[in-house]
Amino acid sequence: MNTPVFEWFFLWSAATVGCMSILIKQVEWSGTPVDVFISGNRIKTIGGCSSQRAEIVLDGRNKAILPTFHNAHNHAAMAYMRSYADDIELHAWLTDHIWPFESKVTKQDVYDGARLACLEMIKSGTTFFNDMYWFWHSTARAVDEMGMRAALAAVFIDFNDPAKAQEQIEQNQKLFGDRKQYSDRVMYQLGPHAIYTVSEKSLRWCKEFAAEHGLMIHTHLSETEKEVADCVAKHGMRPPAYLDSIGFLGPNVTAAHCVHLDQSEMELLAARGVKALHCPTSNMKLSSGKFRFTDAQKAGMQIAIGTDGCASNNCLDMGAEIKIAALLEKHFTGDPTALPAEAAWYAGTRACAEFFGLNSGIIEEGALADCMLVDLNNERLVPGYNLIADMVYSADSSCIDTVICNGKILMQNRHVPGEEEIIAKGRALREKLRR
Amino acid sequence: MNTPVFEWFFLWSAATVGCMSILIKQVEWSGTPVDVFISGNRIKTIGGCSSQRAEIVLDGRNKAILPTFHNAHNHAAMAYMRSYADDIELHAWLTDHIWPFESKVTKQDVYDGARLACLEMIKSGTTFFNDMYWFWHSTARAVDEMGMRAALAAVFIDFNDPAKAQEQIEQNQKLFGDRKQYSDRVMYQLGPHAIYTVSEKSLRWCKEFAAEHGLMIHTHLSETEKEVADCVAKHGMRPPAYLDSIGFLGPNVTAAHCVHLDQSEMELLAARGVKALHCPTSNMKLSSGKFRFTDAQKAGMQIAIGTDGCASNNCLDMGAEIKIAALLEKHFTGDPTALPAEAAWYAGTRACAEFFGLNSGIIEEGALADCMLVDLNNERLVPGYNLIADMVYSADSSCIDTVICNGKILMQNRHVPGEEEIIAKGRALREKLRR
């Protein structure tokens, strides 16, 4: 084989600086076959790059390139709890099943659970997730090794106990430093759980620490009627007003659920730039109520869709989630034009990327190379009148052939390297945690 | 290889009479690994059959055997219309998109569409569907060739036009004879579309013809508020009362949607033995309202779940449908224990089989060999605490490895013989029907 010197140099330099190049030939993009060139972690060129040399060349024929999903709310490691306890009244579910289970898990279990979650997300086309869970390092390590991107918060709960609060503060100060142990695909953020589990003082601390270091804050807000009623009883205000009164609300806050909001609350949250994380499956499964997507959008809120953790879903499939979001909105409003496919797709891809300042969730030159190739010959995408409608209403994970994150192939031909070992660990978890 | 004479005889006789035998070794059934022996079109033995000789031996390790889905309401051929028109107000959707499209299709298009639908159903674990569509023979031929089971009705619409009614009656009389051209997996039934498209005289004729020949009747009932209001205006009665007044209701009637029923109507339909076909995705997508599953069940109605056609879903995936049914019921009732996984699973498998007198939708000795093998090492079924909860809330089609119908393997290792040609025809449909 005759390999010119400059090509050897090219390959050597790519390996040395850790960047890759991928040429995807004749892949469908916006309905037209093009060549897409990925260099390093970016989409470098779309079209007109067929003569580019690349370390990896993928055949894009009969495939389309799409942005990957961005999962706006997750407790990823809870994949170890999938289908452990279902169809149970909320209080009994938490106190008799979820919390006793969680009290027994180790950091190794969380690592194994997070890897299982990452595997499932990759296989269903997700490359980014917004997370909150125990044993921060376990999930960080899993994300880093699996090649995904995530914003990870340690659960911050103090139950109004000052000693507990101090412990949580110190833990977060340490984690803030520890974040540098990982790739910049792992973003550290704060995770005050909710107003009913975190003291006012700790909420203020989170806000200040985030402001000081430019961090995002991940919390739960107005998920249940009880949360609202308890807040009114305790603070004389509903949750958004309470959080606003302590200066907590801002554009760096992502708030999961937002089910029980009135019109003025939506306007307040919109004015403060708070991001709503809509989790329709979780809200339906736990009978929590319904986030009013259309109304919130009209009020100016920014919204992204997430799966919540496996304990209340029971999967992390964003394709299923955006379909359920689109269906629930039409059902709830009585308007079959509500949350159309394009809007649901946006809320499952680009919206969440924007929350975190990521130029992903979109296929364009200069964007992060976080993308997937879907198989246009999968029966669920045929005849193929409208790819986005097909992706929202018809596709499932079997349509997704290849997943790329940060310019690296994480799945090809539906196989993720190392998946067999992750599954074996996941199956072993059942035996261990059943005991 | 030393093959005893009796083994040759066994293989010869199996081939001669057209029956098959399959031994599935060490497959999980109710949580325990067993050998399952299928002889002809029946599950012959579960356990204790490891020494059985069989034409085909399948490795069941790390797989579970489950009944296949039974899709209770479909217009299968409309797969050719997948994602052709979405997120549109109901009237404009029908008059500007669906009906003009349908006016152009040929019997060949319906055959190609039905094959695409069968392919999608097999790949997502469905072996039976209850159908109503134009060009009866096209769907019958597709079902027969693809090895599935279906109850097929020709759409019966006369718009109160006596000439049209006579034409439809003659067509059905002919189809009733024609049914013998196909395997007994193809069941002929009557398909009076709905009370607003079929004259009273024709409804009575359907009822009588069905009674005379022991046929099932497939119809739509109380799908929209407009249907109810129009019926009251025209007949002075709501739809169930009107149908009862003409003696139409009975245990051979399967009624799709049943969205707008009051308590007394549920009791009436239960008393008459009418079967409700619940299509949550379609009802949500078209903003038709909500079938009250829990109330209807308490009133004594028998209920099975279906996808409806691809134009209003946009897929035929029963796994997705039973999840959405379970979620919507919890959301609607505010009760997280409503429609639990086992009940949703039953409504997507066995319930519909019982409607049609089929001993399928269940894994037991003597039942029809309509079953699937799911891959317990699929990430969505791991850790694996509860297989039925996993199948309802977490699985997607990627978990399904093998599908068997009537003792014949239709899919193995996720491949259906001939699928490439069906896809090519489906893709060609797009080009043809776009013009």
Side-chain angles (χ1 to χ4, degrees), chain A residues 358-421:
Chain A
L358 293 168
N359 189 15
S360 56
I362 193 167
I363 304 299
E364 64 178 21
E365 291 182 356
L368 287 166
D370 295 9
C371 54
M372 59 176 156
L373 306 185
V374 299
D375 176 8
L376 297 173
N377 282 339
N378 185 294
E379 62 281 356
R380 301 169 84 115
L381 305 181
V382 175
Y385 301 109
N386 182 328
L387 181 58
I388 296 304
D390 275 338
M391 288 304 295
V392 174
Y393 295 124
S394 177
D396 75 358
S397 75
S398 72
C399 301
I400 302 169
D401 181 86
T402 301
V403 171
I404 295 170
C405 182
N406 209 44
K408 190 182 161 201
I409 298 173
L410 305 190
M411 177 174 84
Q412 193 171 6
N413 197 22
R414 290 207 58 65
H415 185 259
V416 176
E419 65 180 276
E420 295 76 8
E421 186 239 339

Side-chain angles (χ1 to χ4, degrees), chain A residues 80 82-83 87 123 284 287 313 317 323 330 335-336 341 379-380 382 384-385 390 393 396-397 430, chain B residues 80 82-83 87 123 284 287 313 317 323 330 335-336 341 379-380 382 384-385 390 393-394 396-397 430:
Chain A
Y80 61 36
R82 188 198 315 281
S83 304
D87 308 317
K123 293 200 97 166
M284 292 172 88
S287 306
N313 189 309
D317 185 338
K323 175 168 183 170
K330 297 174 210 320
D335 175 4
E379 62 281 356
R380 301 169 84 115
V382 175
Y385 301 109
D390 275 338
Y393 295 124
D396 75 358
S397 75
R430 175 182 67 167
Chain B
Y80 62 38
R82 188 197 315 280
S83 304
D87 307 318
K123 293 199 98 166
M284 293 171 89
S287 307
N313 187 311
D317 185 337
K323 175 169 183 170
K330 295 174 210 320
D335 174 4
E379 61 280 357
R380 302 169 84 116
V382 174
Y385 302 109
D390 276 337
Y393 295 123
S394 177
D396 74 357
S397 76
R430 175 181 68 167

Side-chain angles (χ1 to χ4, degrees), chain A residues 98-353:
Chain A
I98 302 301
W99 292 342
F101 188 111
E102 285 189 326
S103 71
K104 287 177 215 148
V105 300
T106 64
K107 68 178 183 181
Q108 178 67 37
D109 297 334
V110 171
Y111 171 69
D112 291 336
R115 284 206 305 165
L116 176 61
C118 289
L119 174 62
E120 188 197 339
M121 284 189 274
I122 293 167
K123 293 200 97 166
S124 52
T126 293
T127 57
F128 173 87
F129 62 102
N130 182 28
D131 201 75
M132 180 199 297
Y133 206 57
W134 312 101
F135 297 109
W136 188 91
H137 279 289
S138 296
T139 304
R141 195 177 135 213
V143 169
D144 203 2
E145 291 172 2
M146 298 290 289
M148 293 181 73
R149 237 181 261 290
L152 305 181
V155 187
F156 189 127
I157 287 181
D158 64 13
F159 290 122
N160 276 313
D161 172 346
K164 186 86 189 150
Q166 188 54 35
E167 188 187 292
Q168 297 279 288
I169 287 169
E170 286 168 16
Q171 186 199 25
N172 273 282
Q173 285 166 328
K174 182 169 184 314
L175 290 177
F176 177 64
D178 290 353
R179 77 191 189 286
K180 294 176 189 162
Q181 297 170 20
Y182 304 98
S183 138
D184 62 5
R185 289 179 282 99
V186 177
M187 302 165 72
Y188 166 79
Q189 65 177 341
L190 288 152
H193 174 264
I195 55 167
Y196 54 92
T197 45
V198 185
S199 63
E200 182 187 319
K201 199 174 162 192
S202 290
L203 289 170
R204 288 182 188 272
W205 180 84
C206 287
K207 188 70 193 172
E208 284 156 21
F209 192 74
E212 189 180 338
H213 300 289
L215 300 172
M216 296 289 286
I217 299 176
H218 188 185
T219 192
H220 298 86
L221 179 62
S222 299
E223 179 176 2
T224 64
E225 283 181 344
K226 180 172 160 41
E227 174 184 342
V228 177
D230 288 354
C231 185
V232 170
K234 188 171 173 190
H235 303 289
M237 290 176 277
R238 289 164 60 93
Y242 164 64
L243 287 175
D244 200 42
S245 75
I246 63 171
F248 184 85
L249 302 178
N252 64 334
V253 174
T254 64
H257 304 302
C258 294
V259 164
H260 298 279
L261 299 183
D262 63 26
Q263 182 64 28
S264 69
E265 290 173 324
M266 292 180 195
E267 287 163 12
L268 170 67
L269 293 171
R272 296 291 180 267
V274 172
K275 277 72 176 168
L277 315 176
H278 177 34
C279 305
T281 297
S282 173
N283 298 154
M284 292 172 88
K285 188 152 181 278
L286 299 175
S287 306
S288 306
K290 161 77 174 65
F291 170 70
R292 290 156 52 196
F293 195 110
T294 305
D295 293 337
Q297 199 166 42
K298 279 185 192 154
M301 288 188 80
Q302 298 167 68
I303 307 159
I305 293 171
T307 59
D308 207 345
C310 265
S312 59
N313 189 309
N314 304 350
C315 66
L316 304 174
D317 185 338
M318 283 293 295
E321 203 67 29
I322 58 176
K323 175 168 183 170
I324 290 169
L327 294 176
L328 183 61
E329 197 59 23
K330 297 174 210 320
H331 168 73
F332 183 79
T333 59
D335 175 4
T337 72
L339 195 48
E342 284 281 354
W345 179 255
Y346 184 85
T349 54
R350 179 70 170 167
C352 184

Side-chain angles (χ1 to χ4, degrees), chain B residues 17 23 25 30 55 63 70 75 83 107-108 134 147 162 173 196 238 258 287 319-320 325 341 349 360 371 381 405 414:
Chain B
V17 300
L23 180 62
K25 298 194 78 149
S30 302
E55 288 160 275
K63 297 193 177 75
H70 288 54
H75 310 285
S83 304
K107 68 180 184 181
Q108 179 67 37
W134 313 102
Q173 284 166 330
Y196 54 93
R238 288 164 59 93
C258 296
S287 307
T349 53
S360 57
C371 54
L381 305 182
C405 181
R414 290 209 58 65

